[in-house]
Amino acid sequence: MVDGVRVHKVSRRTDGELDLAVPPRTPPALAALRAAQWAVSDAQAALFLVAPVQQRLVTGAQLRTAREQYLGRRRRALVDTLLADIVDGAQSLGELDFAAMCRARRMPVPERQVVRQGPKGRVYLDVRWRCGLVVEVDGRQHVEGVAPVADMLRQNSVSLTRDMVLRIPLLGLRLEADAFLDQVEQGLAVLAARAS
């Protein structure tokens, strides 16, 4: 036994699971699903599903395909909800939390990871509604080093296309969720009024 390592017994393998490589190993998408089942909390389960997508080890589609073969015993509804958001483009815990909060308020479903041309090539917008409201959920990496410069250039570029950009720091989502979500609803209302 190795300190800090917990061994989990796999009671049922999926078809062809160990045919992938030598030595035999579980495909990353299936490993992520199993990790979500074995997680100590729902938050950790979400992390185990979104991290490999964010790190480009798997795609949301690969997770969905693996889910068709492996339902697991725990957190079935949570995993299905998380996978729907991940397949739809959420790539961080903050984006997953934001999606759940928007659903709870019955906001329209936005597009995620929308690709735009920025000053230095392609940029990905976290969330965008068709009316032109963009929401960026900013984790800690957005305040380190020169990241704020790149973020402001991206935001200005998007704003110059007539979209409205709202930024929500992850800490703000944790501490003042209602205030930020009120602003999102206000932005949606303002843009709807402009369109009519």
Side-chain angles (χ1 to χ4, degrees):
M1 199 57 120
V2 177
D3 284 341
V5 174
R6 177 180 288 171
V7 176
H8 293 275
K9 181 178 179 177
V10 175
S11 59
R12 183 183 66 82
R13 299 274 180 198
T14 62
D15 290 337
E17 175 181 343
L18 299 178
D19 297 342
L20 192 63
V22 176
R25 59 187 178 270
T26 300
L30 182 56
L33 288 169
R34 285 197 176 124
Q37 296 294 312
W38 297 329
V40 298
S41 67
D42 289 350
Q44 188 180 58
L47 178 63
F48 288 151
L49 291 173
V50 77
V53 174
Q54 188 177 46
Q55 296 164 1
R56 308 287 193 261
L57 298 174
V58 299
T59 64
Q62 289 169 327
L63 284 173
R64 183 176 44 204
T65 299
R67 179 68 171 163
E68 292 168 4
Q69 297 177 344
Y70 175 75
L71 292 178
R73 294 182 183 158
R74 301 178 63 211
R75 296 186 177 94
R76 287 182 179 181
L78 174 70
V79 168
D80 287 340
T81 299
L82 292 169
L83 286 181
D85 288 336
I86 291 168
V87 167
D88 200 26
Q91 294 189 357
S92 72
L93 289 178
E95 290 175 42
L96 289 173
D97 292 345
F98 180 73
M101 291 173 185
C102 288
R103 259 194 313 278
R105 286 198 176 204
R106 292 183 167 76
M107 290 184 199
V109 177
E111 298 173 273
R112 292 192 181 93
Q113 299 302 317
V114 176
V115 179
R116 286 287 180 82
Q117 278 304 116
K120 295 186 178 181
R122 282 193 299 190
V123 295
Y124 295 85
L125 307 176
D126 291 343
V127 176
R128 184 182 184 278
W129 281 269
R130 291 188 187 277
C131 65
L133 179 64
V134 174
V135 173
E136 291 290 315
V137 181
D138 293 341
R140 192 179 83 199
Q141 74 277 12
H142 288 273
V143 297
E144 296 177 345
V146 297
V149 174
D151 285 346
M152 292 306 115
L153 284 171
R154 182 177 67 234
Q155 179 176 337
N156 292 349
S157 176
V158 171
S159 294
L160 291 170
T161 66
R162 306 188 107 197
D163 279 357
M164 177 188 294
V165 180
L166 299 179
R167 301 190 78 85
I168 303 176
L170 191 53
L171 183 61
L173 200 59
R174 303 284 182 250
L175 299 177
E176 295 287 344
D178 285 333
F180 280 108
L181 290 169
D182 288 346
Q183 289 180 335
V184 172
E185 287 180 332
Q186 184 180 359
L188 289 169
V190 165
L191 291 172
R194 281 185 196 166
S196 59

